[in-house]
Amino acid sequence: MEEELKNSSVSSRNSSRLNSIVLVLFNHVKTWCTLFISDVMDEVQRLNEDPAVHAVLLALPLSILSRRLLNTIKPEKDVDGLSDLNVGRMISGDLSEGFLSPVVGAVMELLARYGMCVCVCAGVGVGVLSSLITTANMPRHVVHPSCLHVLFLCQVRQADVLVAMGTGPVALPQTCFKPGMTLINCGPAVTPGAAWKRGAGVDVEISRAQVPKPIWQLAEEVGLLPQELEAYGRSKAKVGLALLARLRHQPNGKYVLVAGITPTPLGEGKSTVTIGLVQALSAHLKLNSFACLRQPSQGPTFGVKGGAAGGGYAQVIPMEEFNLHLTGDIHAITAANNLVAAAVDARILHEATQSDKALYRRLVPTINGVRRFSAIQLRRLQRLGINKSDPGALTPEEVSSFVRLDIDPAKVTWQRVIDTNDRFLRKVTIGQAPTEKGHSRQTQFDIAVASEIMAILALADGLADMKARLGRMVVGSSRSGQPVTADDLGVTGALAVLMKDAVKPTLMQSLEGTPVFVHAGPFANIAHGNSSILADRLALKLVGEEGYVVTEAGFGADIGMEKFFNVKCRASGLRPDVVVLVATVRALKMHGGGPSVTAGLPLPREYTEENLKLVSEGCSNLKKQIEIAHLFGVPVVVALNIFKTDTQAEIDLVCRVAQASGAEAAVPCHHWARGGRGSVDLARAVKEAAAWENGFRFLYSLQTPIAEKIRTIAQKVYGADDIELSPEAQAKIDYYNQQGYDTLPICMAKTHLSLSHIPDKKGVPTGFILPIRDIRASIGAGFIYPLVGTMSTMPGLPTRPCFYDVDLDPATEEISGLF
């Protein structure tokens, strides 16, 4: 319908099935000028008698268009069809004589073509349209202009079509626009308030202006069955994993990864590109498509970064729900993680204060005269090589082995977590109450998304796999140097219970009604930084062979993309078809040597004025990221996220450099301001690039020694000359080789702000040695993570956190400042 509206010279916000219409007349206060009206009437009389004149159109302000003046025109020359005689003919259905207003005729043709409607009419000049709608059995509601603002709340918000007729521009509140509403503007500009102005707070205004389609409707559109949906309110729902079994024979769609250049404080906009691309593929190219995004951490939302739902007309809605609790997955991870931490310290205390016999009696109690091992205790016995199931049959030595984990308090690696940025929890002392009998120790809190359980959620391929991974988590070492797992603590089943709903992806939608899976949210600098394998698999089945799934990797291509390939793709068995590499002119200027920026202060002029030298030098980082993608044999399409300060010369320069560096295409994108329509060229380029077979390959073999795997990433991806292992790191390598962990992939924990280990080194640093301070293992998640330099796993709050701007209106319950 959109193209037809364009051809009819009427504007459309969106195409959708038309079930109702609201027709509104905006008229000004009438100011009569008798002398002027008299002159007009004399001229009309002259035109009536002029045989060379076949039609008269009064292009005059509504304030002087009286019935007397309109009726001065001869009915056979009344091209607007607004004289009493022509209106009467129209109302009676006699269209054989006289004129039907071209505007009214065009609107009626569109409405007749696309369905039934409800019409709210007001003011002079729209009675013909109202009557014709009624004659056509299209129900309509009539309202006087004085009731307009009240009716916006109860009528316009329900409408599928808004027909605006008037003489002056009118600002409409964003809340009156329904998602998918078509605007047929038959008068001057209709301005949707602040939504067309870019600036602070605009994202939330745009989000709030769109009422999401009911989640059951979205689910039906993408092919979900009612029993596969678990609704959380009207706008989001969990999707059951049984869908994978139902669609097991359905071929997968195309798999698209969105990555970026090395991040800067200016932002690159990977999330907006992801949503804009999916909106373009779905709404404009008519291809099945899905976006898969990470759930944002509440810590950065209230700290420095703000929300992560995208922005402008390329975002997930409702953005408040997306950025806050969503469906509780992070809360479940927090609860599960801290249950493990509590179990560790409680076990240390109880073993230190009880005999073997007392421990055994309490760990394997007699209940109703029966004493038996639980299933998880039987698994521990098997790991110890004790093949007995009768608690009374164990020897004293076997009892001691069973009840004593003998955890070394100095070698506990499991930390408590909280989803809040709190620098004062980076080092704490626990166990200081007298009831803990002096068993205190130093520990720390991490941000919740840094928990290994979050990484497990993102890498699991089902509930059974997640449960097995949770059991394999290593929480510390015994005094004899043996790893202690969650299964040894007996907590695996409880963790699976806490996580049973979190394992299901959450279904939401974009501003244009395209489907989005939101699931998992591991950080990319301290974990692998990608959304879940399960979300990708579900989406790939739902879109079908000709469809597209677009997922996003955290931070730059050297961090999130490398881990997507080497960690996530190894676990999932999925192979990407194309990489979309996001860049901005102003971020490239910073990589080219542009000055630093400070949040809250105006940008230096280097970023707001044309500077081809900075752009050219900064493109070195773009070239390097394209080169990194090619290491894995995947084609690259560069998406240049356009800002209003970008000049055409700067845009052309970036696109030329990208294509000369091996990108399949380089496309300027305007999704922030235009939604999917602004990313149509990108969507076409992605479709073309994904159509070709690629030679995807991993960067290293899992059989390669740990140190060599680290060296390969450092040299080929980061551009380092070599690595330098600390004595502690080398000792860990020896220990992991002994434990059989040496065949796990590598997940580097490194600053995301530079290709090197030094955050201030922009562009493409060279001539550096990458220092490996320590090496740790997430055995449940299934990777080893070397620590490059000092990496904080608990962010702190700045002097002025984002929460200063967040507020709630108690009357409307609307949230402000969350963007």
Side-chain angles (χ1 to χ4, degrees):
M1 179 178 175
E2 186 172 279
E3 290 302 318
E4 295 174 70
L5 289 175
K6 288 178 182 175
N7 295 336
S8 302
S9 299
V10 288
S11 61
S12 170
R13 284 177 65 89
N14 210 322
S15 58
S16 63
R17 185 173 180 271
L18 308 183
N19 293 320
S20 62
I21 177 173
V22 177
L23 177 62
V24 183
L25 172 65
F26 305 107
N27 58 349
H28 295 187
V29 177
K30 295 183 179 180
T31 55
W32 297 94
C33 177
T34 306
L35 178 61
F36 179 70
I37 292 174
S38 175
D39 292 340
V40 173
M41 291 179 67
D42 289 344
E43 180 62 20
V44 169
Q45 291 284 10
R46 188 187 70 76
L47 295 172
N48 282 341
E49 302 304 322
D50 187 346
V53 175
H54 298 91
V56 177
L57 172 64
L58 295 180
L60 299 173
L62 185 62
S63 58
I64 62 171
L65 279 177
S66 64
R67 300 308 309 167
R68 180 185 173 199
L69 181 56
L70 290 170
N71 285 324
T72 302
I73 308 172
K74 282 188 175 181
E76 59 270 24
K77 294 189 177 185
D78 176 21
V79 72
D80 243 348
L82 295 178
S83 65
D84 287 348
L85 182 57
N86 278 329
V87 169
R89 285 170 175 166
M90 299 307 107
I91 292 175
S92 65
D94 180 9
L95 303 180
S96 59
E97 296 185 49
F99 282 100
L100 174 64
S101 166
V103 171
V104 173
V107 172
M108 285 301 299
E109 182 179 344
L110 288 170
L111 297 180
R113 192 175 303 174
Y114 290 101
M116 301 298 290
C117 59
V118 174
C119 176
V120 178
C121 304
V124 180
V126 296
V128 174
L129 182 56
S130 177
S131 298
L132 287 176
I133 289 173
T134 303
T135 302
N137 293 321
M138 297 178 182
R140 57 102 175 104
H141 182 73
V142 181
V143 61
H144 190 272
S146 64
C147 301
L148 194 56
H149 293 296
V150 176
L151 283 163
F152 272 160
L153 298 178
C154 61
Q155 295 289 342
V156 180
R157 208 176 267 170
Q158 302 173 20
D160 291 303
V161 179
L162 172 64
V163 181
M165 303 177 70
T167 59
V170 177
L172 301 181
Q174 277 293 337
T175 50
C176 78
F177 288 108
K178 169 185 175 180
M181 175 187 284
T182 297
L183 170 63
I184 304 178
N185 184 15
C186 304
V190 178
T191 308
W196 293 352
K197 302 175 185 176
R198 191 165 184 168
V202 171
D203 289 347
V204 71
E205 291 297 327
I206 294 173
S207 171
R208 191 172 294 140
Q210 306 300 316
V211 179
K213 67 180 77 172
I215 195 64
W216 59 262
Q217 179 184 337
L218 177 66
E220 184 178 2
E221 290 172 358
V222 302
L224 290 168
L225 301 178
Q227 61 268 29
E228 293 166 341
L229 202 69
E230 299 173 15
Y232 282 65
R234 291 189 69 257
S235 56
K236 57 187 182 294
K238 288 286 190 181
V239 174
L241 303 185
L243 172 69
L244 288 172
R246 177 168 71 84
L247 298 181
R248 61 186 177 277
H249 299 303
Q250 169 95 300
N252 286 343
K254 299 292 185 181
Y255 199 23
V256 181
L257 175 68
V258 175
I261 61 172
T262 301
T264 70
L266 294 168
E268 288 64 60
K270 295 192 303 296
S271 296
T272 58
V273 168
T274 300
I275 297 301
L277 173 56
V278 168
Q279 290 180 160
L281 288 165
S282 295
H284 300 271
L285 299 190
K286 310 303 180 186
L287 298 167
N288 291 343
S289 64
F290 239 103
C292 292
L293 298 178
R294 290 178 295 164
Q295 180 184 353
S297 167
Q298 183 177 287
T301 297
F302 289 113
V304 177
K305 184 174 181 290
Y313 287 92
Q315 61 174 298
V316 181
I317 58 172
M319 65 92 72
E320 296 97 325
E321 296 182 23
F322 177 91
N323 282 315
L324 294 177
H325 308 287
L326 199 63
T327 48
D329 293 356
I330 293 181
H331 299 314
I333 289 166
T334 302
N337 183 100
N338 293 343
L339 178 61
V340 175
V344 168
D345 288 303
R347 189 62 176 260
I348 292 172
L349 171 67
H350 293 315
E351 288 189 22
T353 57
Q354 298 181 50
S355 65
D356 290 352
K357 184 177 180 180
L359 281 169
Y360 194 49
R361 185 176 68 251
R362 289 181 171 91
L363 287 171
V364 192
T366 300
I367 301 174
N368 296 327
V370 178
R371 194 181 192 194
R372 61 166 61 94
F373 293 115
S374 66
I376 200 167
Q377 290 175 327
L378 288 171
R379 290 203 300 270
R380 172 159 170 76
L381 288 171
Q382 290 172 359
R383 287 194 298 275
L384 293 171
I386 303 172
N387 297 314
K388 297 177 181 178
S389 58
D390 180 4
L394 269 64
T395 66
E397 292 77 14
E398 290 171 338
V399 167
S400 183
S401 296
F402 174 74
V403 301
R404 297 283 172 188
L405 299 180
D406 199 25
I407 300 171
D408 186 343
K411 293 182 179 179
V412 172
T413 57
W414 195 262
Q415 317 295 353
R416 289 165 172 81
V417 300
I418 186 173
D419 198 29
T420 302
N421 290 6
D422 191 344
R423 65 178 67 248
F424 286 92
L425 294 179
R426 289 171 178 168
K427 181 176 283 189
V428 297
T429 302
I430 60 172
Q432 297 189 80
T435 50
E436 274 54 72
K437 304 175 183 178
H439 291 279
S440 63
R441 66 181 182 89
Q442 278 197 341
T443 183
Q444 69 184 55
F445 276 74
D446 294 337
I447 190 78
V449 293
S451 169
E452 183 177 353
I453 297 177
M454 175 62 87
I456 287 173
L457 177 66
L459 292 170
D461 66 6
L463 188 56
D465 181 49
M466 183 184 72
K467 182 180 176 182
R469 288 173 178 267
L470 291 171
R472 292 198 297 268
M473 294 187 305
V474 174
V475 300
S477 300
S478 69
R479 287 184 172 85
S480 63
Q482 294 303 305
V484 178
T485 67
D487 221 46
D488 291 327
L489 285 169
V491 75
T492 304
L495 299 180
V497 169
L498 286 171
M499 294 292 294
K500 72 178 182 65
D501 292 321
V503 77
K504 304 167 190 173
T506 298
L507 177 66
M508 295 187 75
Q509 62 192 276
S510 76
L511 204 71
E512 295 183 14
T514 55
V516 179
F517 273 139
V518 185
H519 201 213
F523 279 179
N525 52 351
I526 54 180
H528 71 288
N530 288 272
S531 62
S532 77
I533 287 173
L534 283 168
D536 291 356
R537 280 186 168 166
L538 289 170
L540 286 165
K541 292 299 183 185
L542 286 168
V543 299
E545 191 170 11
E546 302 301 318
Y548 292 79
V549 171
V550 183
T551 189
E552 176 193 346
F555 296 132
D558 57 300
I559 298 285
M561 184 188 73
E562 181 270 317
K563 295 173 182 178
F564 175 89
F565 293 145
N566 280 326
V567 178
K568 183 176 179 179
C569 287
R570 287 185 196 271
S572 70
L574 299 172
R575 299 294 180 263
D577 293 287
V578 62
V579 168
V580 175
L581 191 62
V582 181
T584 64
V585 166
R586 58 188 197 171
L588 291 172
K589 286 180 178 179
M590 179 168 281
H591 282 295
S596 60
V597 298
T598 303
L601 295 181
L603 289 176
R605 61 184 180 83
E606 286 85 351
Y607 300 112
T608 59
E609 299 175 5
E610 183 172 281
N611 193 319
L612 296 177
K613 182 175 183 296
L614 285 180
V615 174
S616 178
E617 293 180 0
C619 279
S620 62
N621 189 271
L622 177 61
K623 293 179 187 178
K624 177 62 176 176
Q625 304 290 8
I626 294 171
E627 176 188 316
I628 293 169
H630 286 161
L631 289 173
F632 297 91
V634 183
V636 177
V637 173
V638 170
L640 186 60
N641 193 4
I642 299 300
F643 285 75
K644 65 180 181 181
T645 54
D646 300 344
T647 69
Q648 193 59 49
E650 291 172 331
I651 294 169
D652 292 343
L653 173 60
V654 175
C655 292
R656 284 198 308 272
V657 170
Q659 291 187 280
S661 302
E664 300 294 317
V667 185
C669 301
H670 304 269
H671 43 272
W672 194 98
R674 304 176 191 172
R677 183 166 53 92
S679 286
V680 169
D681 289 342
L682 175 64
R684 291 194 177 106
V686 167
K687 181 182 178 184
E688 183 175 345
W692 298 95
E693 289 289 332
N694 68 57
F696 176 76
R697 55 189 174 270
F698 295 116
L699 192 61
Y700 53 79
S701 165
L702 292 180
Q703 307 308 314
T704 302
I706 293 175
E708 285 306 310
K709 284 186 275 197
I710 297 171
R711 182 173 285 109
T712 298
I713 296 172
Q715 293 179 333
K716 292 189 176 181
V717 177
Y718 306 150
D721 288 345
D722 203 351
I723 62 173
E724 182 179 40
L725 295 171
S726 70
E728 185 176 9
Q730 184 60 60
K732 289 289 185 66
I733 289 177
D734 296 339
Y735 175 72
Y736 295 148
N737 288 338
Q738 176 191 348
Q739 294 296 325
Y741 301 154
D742 55 313
T743 58
L744 294 176
I746 302 298
C747 182
M748 302 288 282
K750 185 187 81 69
T751 178
H752 57 288
L753 297 174
S754 173
L755 285 162
S756 73
H757 58 288
I758 305 171
D760 293 337
K761 295 282 188 181
K762 304 301 180 186
V764 183
T766 57
F768 63 94
I769 304 294
L770 195 72
I772 308 300
R773 178 173 60 86
D774 194 6
I775 300 177
R776 297 175 186 170
S778 291
I779 305 304
F783 54 72
I784 289 172
Y785 61 103
L787 300 178
V788 181
T790 302
M791 292 296 301
S792 174
T793 52
M794 170 55 80
L797 291 174
T799 303
R800 192 186 190 283
C802 292
F803 62 63
Y804 274 88
D805 300 309
V806 178
D807 203 0
L808 178 72
D809 185 330
T812 64
E813 296 187 9
E814 285 190 346
I815 298 170
S816 60
L818 191 67
F819 57 89

